[in-house]
Amino acid sequence: MGGKIVGHIMFTKAMVGNKAVLALAPLSVLPEYQKKGIGAALIKEGHRIAGELGYGYSVVLGSGEYYPQMGYLPADKFGIKPSFEVPNENFMACRLKEDAPGVNGIMKYAKEFGIG
């Protein structure tokens, strides 16, 4: 790719109760580079770094077809609930560390997201 930036991922700190989690948003890959594993590589490396930093969960609001391939499950399976109406299959979480302590509550996004 010759030094060209073809993809981007960002994780932002969020809270579930008194526990810090991460919100994955956005993930982007230039259209001509999609379906080549770049998004998956960005997620995998992001999860690795997040786990090293001590985060136990990543939460995403996204495609119910794509993110389950990356280990995401409906967030309510982990006790994480949205603060707004959204289909279960689109509000998902991934446990980043096997020994991550349980969480239970409504996810509070960073104020920059503008979500209640």
Side-chain angles (χ1 to χ4, degrees):
M1 287 161 248
K4 181 178 183 179
I5 295 173
V6 299
H8 166 264
I9 193 168
M10 185 169 81
F11 293 87
T12 304
K13 184 178 172 183
M15 299 297 290
V16 176
N18 64 353
K19 296 206 172 75
V21 299
L22 292 176
L24 187 173
L27 167 65
S28 62
V29 176
L30 290 174
E32 62 269 28
Y33 292 93
Q34 292 177 1
K35 302 196 185 315
K36 298 179 187 289
I38 294 168
L42 288 169
I43 291 171
K44 183 177 178 182
E45 181 66 1
H47 284 178
R48 183 191 68 73
I49 293 168
E52 285 182 1
L53 292 172
Y55 290 97
Y57 298 88
S58 173
V59 181
V60 69
L61 177 60
S63 168
E65 294 178 20
Y66 180 74
Y67 288 99
Q69 298 173 54
M70 304 296 118
Y72 285 82
L73 301 169
D76 64 352
K77 293 189 182 293
F78 298 105
I80 303 170
K81 298 163 192 62
S83 62
F84 49 88
E85 291 293 320
V86 61
N88 246 9
E89 65 268 15
N90 298 114
F91 187 70
M92 297 166 276
C94 179
R95 187 185 306 259
L96 300 174
K97 297 168 50 176
E98 285 189 34
D99 63 347
V103 292
N104 189 27
I106 295 171
M107 181 158 150
K108 292 187 171 91
Y109 286 86
K111 66 179 185 323
E112 291 81 3
F113 277 80
I115 300 173

